[in-house]
Amino acid sequence: MNQRDAQRLETRRTLAEHALRLFRDQGFDETTVEEIAAAAGVSPRTFFLHFSTKSAAAFPDHDIRVEEFRTRLGSGVDRSNPLSHLCQTLVIGLDTTSPMRRTRYQLLSTVPALQDEDSRTDRDYESVAVAYLIESWGDGVEVRLRAHAVANAMMGVIRASLIAWGDAGIDPQRVCLEMLQRMFGSPFDQPLQSLQSNTATSG
Amino acid sequence: MNQRDAQRLETRRTLAEHALRLFRDQGFDETTVEEIAAAAGVSPRTFFLHFSTKSAAAFPDHDIRVEEFRTRLGSGVDRSNPLSHLCQTLVIGLDTTSPMRRTRYQLLSTVPALQDEDSRTDRDYESVAVAYLIESWGDGVEVRLRAHAVANAMMGVIRASLIAWGDAGIDPQRVCLEMLQRMFGSPFDQPLQSLQSNTATSG
DNA sequence: CATGTCGATGCACTGAGTGCAGTTAATACG
DNA sequence: CGTATTAACTGCACTCAGTGCATCGACATG
């Protein structure tokens, strides 16, 4: 880790910290990028060197987490039951320890711009999940659709659980795992895996 | 219908039509609101009298469709099986006849700004679905979470199917109904309905 | 005909986000 | 150690989405 890299990460961290604080204290729309930059002691232009949009500053660890997710998925040994492995990997990735993360999801239920950003981040997880499912099931038009549907549905459950965590403090891991298993448990998994063989019938 | 109302709707329709055409032909980011307004023969200011954002012009019938959905849900007689009724109402609402709608979903897979808009519209459907489920199941912290999770998951399946329709021409109604039934069929519905009685055990 | 309503317009403005050129300090290299 | 290079940061000018406000003019209403 260079001194340069350390300084860059520190700037980024400071920006994200002040952004979330300002969003929480005075509202998202009432906070300008100029204010965030000033609070972090940098120029407004610098903000956009670290985050592509104002709302992205509320999800500073997004890229890292997606990569973690991809890595954990890939290193999975349980290739016999891809859906189950996917569910577990998603749930393990839920971090309910950081208070900053909690603040983020509390904001999420009231700020549309942050909901947009959240949907955007969900799309990245979804892409990884879809790639994994296609790799597991084999490619095909119909399989591709099912992979997207399953990934979308899973992310929907995760999102609802995280918002409930922010709003009501409900432990997302427990309830997520239960609901995902109910939706994608054994009665769902077997027929889906059998799709490998009949992809030619679709389209 | 006033002459005034007719003119207003006509302006709105024209704006939406030119917006979608321009998005398709020259790209979303490469199209300015000024261009759309000019193509429709109105002033740029007028555009924002009809649509709150540039991307909203790609979903001109959104509000109407959500209201249709709400109405159809409310008039449902099948109160004994709310999940099944919800699935069917969602699928019935899918319109696969309009070529404009097809164009919209073709754009959706490549334009991030329109994906944001789509997520936003999905949130409206989700609210309606959640309200319906809470009304059916009875309120409670845990029930509320499950309602959100189910609604999110359902919208995820719908979204994937519609995008697959745009991309590959797959009939969304057939595949949607099948997947939704598999996820929320009888093994899922009974335990969920029994939640009515134990909402006190949550939160 | 008189009056009110409402869609459309023009204008000035805020704020997000971009392109570009320049500065400064850390790093790599001889 | 001295020099060249890299890269984070900065300032400036710009585009464009979206808003507030005052106004005009056509249509509606009595």
Side-chain angles (χ1 to χ4, degrees):
Chain A
M1 173 84 83
N2 268 342
Q3 180 178 345
R4 223 182 243 173
D5 291 347
Q7 187 55 43
R8 191 174 115 265
L9 286 181
E10 175 61 17
T11 302
R12 182 185 170 90
R13 205 191 55 78
T14 308
L15 276 170
E17 190 181 307
H18 285 282
L20 195 64
R21 181 180 58 78
L22 288 168
F23 293 165
R24 168 170 53 83
D25 290 349
Q26 62 186 42
F28 181 84
D29 290 332
E30 290 70 29
T31 303
T32 66
V33 170
E34 202 179 341
E35 275 179 293
I36 301 171
V42 296
S43 94
R45 193 69 187 80
T46 300
F47 178 92
F48 291 105
L49 284 182
H50 291 276
F51 303 106
S52 60
T53 65
K54 185 170 90 168
S55 44
F59 299 81
D61 54 353
H62 169 62
D63 288 346
I64 297 172
R65 297 185 77 83
V66 171
E67 278 318 305
E68 270 182 22
F69 175 54
R70 190 196 311 274
T71 305
R72 260 201 278 261
L73 254 191
S75 69
V77 288
D78 191 6
R79 287 279 167 179
S80 64
N81 202 341
L83 273 184
S84 169
H85 178 50
L86 181 54
C87 290
Q88 281 173 2
T89 308
L90 272 172
V91 171
I92 287 173
L94 298 179
D95 171 21
T96 59
T97 59
S98 158
M100 210 172 114
R101 204 164 166 79
R102 176 91 193 267
T103 302
R104 194 179 303 162
Y105 282 102
Q106 283 172 330
L107 281 172
L108 210 53
S109 54
T110 56
V111 183
L114 291 185
Q115 290 169 7
D116 288 356
E117 186 65 32
D118 189 55
S119 303
R120 223 168 293 144
T121 66
D122 276 0
R123 255 174 261 141
D124 290 337
Y125 285 104
E126 194 218 322
S127 295
V128 175
V130 164
Y132 168 76
L133 286 177
I134 288 178
E135 190 193 339
S136 299
W137 288 341
D139 204 346
V141 181
E142 190 99 355
V143 168
R144 199 173 281 262
L145 161 56
R146 281 163 200 273
H148 273 99
V150 166
N152 269 333
M154 284 187 179
M155 291 315 299
V157 174
I158 304 266
R159 196 183 321 128
S161 305
L162 283 173
I163 288 176
W165 174 52
D167 284 352
I170 298 179
D171 174 30
Q173 296 198 325
R174 173 185 62 81
V175 71
C176 249
L177 205 57
E178 187 210 337
M179 296 209 67
L180 289 175
Q181 275 176 355
R182 206 182 286 199
M183 285 189 198
F184 305 102
S186 51
F188 192 83
D189 211 8
Q190 263 87 45
L192 256 183
Q193 287 186 59
S194 72
L195 277 173
Q196 281 184 13
S197 48
N198 64 348
T199 55
T201 65
S202 64
Chain B
M1 173 84 83
N2 268 341
Q3 180 179 345
R4 220 181 246 173
D5 290 347
Q7 187 55 44
R8 191 175 114 266
L9 286 182
E10 175 61 17
T11 302
R12 181 185 170 90
R13 205 191 55 79
T14 309
L15 275 169
E17 190 181 307
H18 285 281
L20 195 64
R21 181 180 57 78
L22 288 168
F23 294 165
R24 168 171 52 85
D25 291 349
Q26 62 185 43
F28 181 84
D29 290 332
E30 289 71 30
T31 303
T32 65
V33 170
E34 201 178 344
E35 275 179 293
I36 302 170
V42 297
S43 94
R45 192 67 187 83
T46 300
F47 178 91
F48 291 106
L49 284 182
H50 292 276
F51 303 106
S52 60
T53 66
K54 185 169 91 168
S55 44
F59 299 82
D61 55 354
H62 169 62
D63 288 346
I64 297 173
R65 297 185 77 83
V66 171
E67 278 318 305
E68 270 180 24
F69 175 54
R70 191 197 308 275
T71 305
R72 259 200 277 261
L73 255 192
S75 69
V77 288
D78 191 6
R79 287 280 167 179
S80 65
N81 203 340
L83 273 184
S84 170
H85 178 49
L86 181 54
C87 290
Q88 282 173 2
T89 307
L90 272 171
V91 171
I92 287 173
L94 297 178
D95 171 20
T96 59
T97 60
S98 158
M100 210 171 115
R101 204 164 166 77
R102 177 90 192 268
T103 302
R104 192 178 305 161
Y105 281 103
Q106 282 171 332
L107 281 172
L108 210 53
S109 54
T110 55
V111 183
L114 291 185
Q115 290 170 7
D116 288 356
E117 186 66 32
D118 190 53
S119 302
R120 223 169 292 144
T121 65
D122 275 0
R123 256 174 259 140
D124 290 338
Y125 285 105
E126 195 218 321
S127 295
V128 175
V130 164
Y132 168 76
L133 286 177
I134 287 178
E135 190 193 340
S136 299
W137 289 343
D139 203 346
V141 181
E142 190 99 354
V143 168
R144 196 173 285 262
L145 161 57
R146 280 161 201 276
H148 273 99
V150 166
N152 268 335
M154 285 187 178
M155 292 314 300
V157 174
I158 303 268
R159 196 184 321 129
S161 305
L162 284 173
I163 289 177
W165 173 52
D167 283 352
I170 299 180
D171 174 30
Q173 296 197 324
R174 173 185 62 80
V175 71
C176 249
L177 206 56
E178 187 211 336
M179 296 208 67
L180 289 175
Q181 276 175 356
R182 204 181 289 198
M183 286 188 199
F184 305 102
S186 51
F188 192 84
D189 212 7
Q190 264 87 43
L192 255 185
Q193 286 185 57
S194 72
L195 276 176
Q196 281 184 12
S197 48
N198 63 350
T199 54
T201 65
S202 65

